[in-house]
């Protein structure tokens, strides 16, 4: 048996809303380097959004979710896979507790204070039982198991603090990601393990960051370059590459990140529209975040909401 860990993030670029980083951990028969998830899970998984409705669309989150398509396909894929692994979160808080191990305090931001979103939020609940059963049957047949899904949901105040401490947004993302990785990965484990993650911006070197979380464990550098950066730690290979979402464990991590962030932004927008009913919502990106910030400025001042917990500095 081998282990494959896929990692990705959503919300790195915006000025509003959380950054979400996720790691998915999978057991596979044989060597993790030989695992072909797309082939093994073909009876239940598709990469094409036009494929039959009875399958789960797993791909980079940008291919699964857009504003025209809505939250439904993204939700079906995330909750369908989680259901197949035995998890049935009934609300955003329940989902966040599952993913973070209770490490997030939503009530620290006013748009989350005492509020929740029931799940499923966009799709009809009855379809998830069938999807989960078919996912489970396929995984059992192929010897594949989703062992764990873990996330770090970084709210605005902590994001600003981490960026200032790290000196840059890119370094903050890398440290958040490696801290999360250590939650799900045992570098001294006996199982052969493959860790796959998307590159963090233009970074090619990761060994020094690994050293920060490995307490003196020997790191062997295999390759560092634009196309890939690869390292060996005991029985684990760590691989950082562009477009890592071509690997299903990374693609599913991408979907979880996007789903959590979209639910959080729904509560964020609902809060502000409760005070400004005609306010156009935002997803926090540069295309409209400055417009939104200007529109809410007077209300934020009246409510005593400071920029430190509202606006990302970088």
């Amino acid at each position: 048996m081998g282990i494959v860990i896929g990692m990705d993030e959503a919300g790195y670029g915006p000025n509003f809303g959380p950054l979400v980083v996720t790691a998915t951990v999978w057991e596979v028969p044989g060597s993790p380097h030989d695992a072909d998830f797309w082939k093994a899970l073909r009876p239940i998984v598709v990469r094409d959004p036009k494929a039959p409705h009875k399958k789960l669309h797993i791909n980079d989150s940008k291919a699964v979710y857009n504003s025209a398509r809505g939250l439904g396909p993204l939700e079906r894929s995330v909750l369908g896979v989680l259901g197949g692994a035995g998890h049935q979160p009934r609300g955003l808080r329940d989902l966040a507790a599952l993913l973070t191990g209770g490490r997030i305090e939503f009530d620290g931001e006013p748009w989350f204070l005492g509020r929740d979103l029931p799940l499923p939020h966009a799709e009809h609940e009855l379809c998830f039982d069938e999807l989960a059963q078919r996912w489970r049957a396929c995984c059992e047949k192929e010897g594949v198991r989703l062992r764990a899904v873990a996330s770090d949901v970084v709210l605005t105040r902590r994001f600003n603090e981490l960026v200032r401490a790290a000196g840059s947004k890119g370094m903050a993302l890398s440290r958040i990601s490696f801290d999360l990785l250590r939650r799900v990965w045992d570098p001294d484990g006996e199982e052969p393990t493959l860790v796959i993650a998307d590159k963090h911006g233009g970074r090619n070197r990761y060994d020094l960051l690994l050293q920060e979380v490995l307490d003196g464990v020997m790191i062997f550098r295999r390759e560092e370059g634009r196309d890939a950066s690869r390292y060996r730690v005991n029985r684990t290979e760590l691989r950082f590459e562009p477009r890592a979402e071509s690997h299903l464990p990374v693609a599913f991590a991408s979907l979880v990140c996007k789903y959590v962030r979209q639910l959080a932004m729904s509560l964020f927008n609902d809060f502000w529209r409760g005070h400004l009913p005609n306010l156009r919502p935002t997803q926090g990106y540069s295309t409209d975040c400055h417009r939104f910030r200007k529109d809410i400025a007077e209300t934020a001042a009246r409510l005593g909401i400071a920029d430190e917990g509202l606006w990302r500095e970088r």
Side-chain angles (χ1 to χ4, degrees):
M1 183 185 73
I3 302 297
V4 179
I5 301 175
M7 296 188 68
D8 207 359
E9 58 78 21
Y12 177 67
N15 289 97
F16 290 121
L19 165 69
V20 186
V21 183
T22 296
T24 67
V25 185
W26 307 74
E27 295 178 3
V28 296
S31 168
H33 296 84
D34 297 333
D36 186 342
F37 288 89
W38 301 114
K39 181 179 179 180
L41 301 176
R42 185 165 50 193
I44 185 62
V45 167
V46 289
R47 303 172 75 175
D48 181 354
K50 297 180 180 178
H53 188 67
K54 290 189 177 181
K55 293 189 176 185
L56 296 171
H57 184 198
I58 298 180
N59 205 328
D60 178 14
S61 63
K62 298 179 182 66
V64 177
Y65 171 83
N66 61 44
S67 57
R69 199 176 294 134
L71 191 67
L74 178 62
E75 183 168 77
R76 288 180 73 252
S77 296
V78 172
L79 295 187
V81 173
L82 290 180
H87 304 296
Q88 295 182 319
R90 294 303 179 185
L92 174 57
R93 287 173 177 263
D94 191 17
L95 176 62
L98 167 69
L99 297 173
T100 67
R103 289 174 171 84
I104 181 173
E105 181 49 68
F106 267 133
D107 290 339
E109 294 189 352
W111 27 93
F112 302 135
L113 180 62
R115 305 178 69 222
D116 199 3
L117 282 178
L119 300 181
H121 185 63
E123 283 278 304
H124 195 280
E125 188 169 4
L126 293 179
C127 70
F128 290 101
D129 287 341
E130 179 188 351
L131 290 168
Q133 290 171 8
R134 293 178 57 232
W135 171 273
R136 192 178 302 115
C138 185
C139 287
E140 288 175 356
K141 180 181 178 182
E142 297 295 332
V144 173
R145 184 170 82 91
L146 177 59
R147 176 187 284 189
V149 184
S151 300
D152 192 353
V153 182
V154 185
L155 302 184
T156 303
R157 187 178 301 276
R158 182 159 73 97
F159 181 89
N160 285 332
E161 291 171 353
L162 291 172
V163 170
R164 285 196 293 265
S168 73
K169 188 165 73 168
M171 179 61 77
L173 172 63
S174 294
R175 286 179 172 164
I176 292 164
S177 300
F178 282 106
D179 285 344
L180 176 65
L181 176 61
R182 282 297 281 116
R183 280 174 45 195
V184 299
W185 167 52
D186 177 8
D188 298 317
E190 293 298 319
E191 300 152 318
T193 300
L194 174 62
V195 178
I196 309 172
D198 213 29
K199 280 204 160 194
H200 300 168
R203 182 182 300 278
N204 290 330
R205 187 173 182 182
Y206 298 85
D207 55 341
L208 296 179
L209 288 159
L210 277 169
Q211 287 177 0
E212 292 182 6
V213 298
L214 283 181
D215 301 323
V217 177
M218 187 70 70
I219 302 166
F220 295 94
R221 188 187 312 164
R222 293 293 182 84
E223 175 185 3
E224 287 180 337
R226 184 177 61 183
D227 293 333
S229 297
R230 297 188 301 120
Y231 304 89
R232 169 69 63 178
V233 177
N234 294 330
R235 301 201 71 189
T236 297
E237 178 183 334
L238 300 103
R239 187 188 305 165
F240 304 89
E241 58 188 47
R243 297 174 297 281
E245 297 89 353
S246 62
H247 304 277
L248 185 144
V250 180
F252 185 63
S254 172
L255 298 188
V256 172
C257 292
K258 189 67 173 180
Y259 184 54
V260 172
R261 179 172 161 81
Q262 288 304 121
L263 293 173
M265 290 306 295
S266 178
L267 285 179
F268 177 85
N269 282 300
D270 286 350
F271 171 84
W272 290 107
R273 283 184 293 187
H275 294 278
L276 299 164
N278 296 322
L279 179 68
R280 283 187 291 133
T282 183
Q283 292 304 312
Y285 290 89
S286 58
T287 50
D288 73 345
C289 65
H290 295 284
R291 180 273 308 168
F292 190 91
R293 188 184 190 189
K294 181 179 178 181
D295 289 346
I296 66 171
E298 184 176 332
T299 302
R302 176 171 54 82
L303 295 173
I305 298 174
D307 268 1
E308 176 67 14
L310 170 65
W311 177 260
R312 292 197 204 166
E313 297 170 358
R314 303 190 202 181

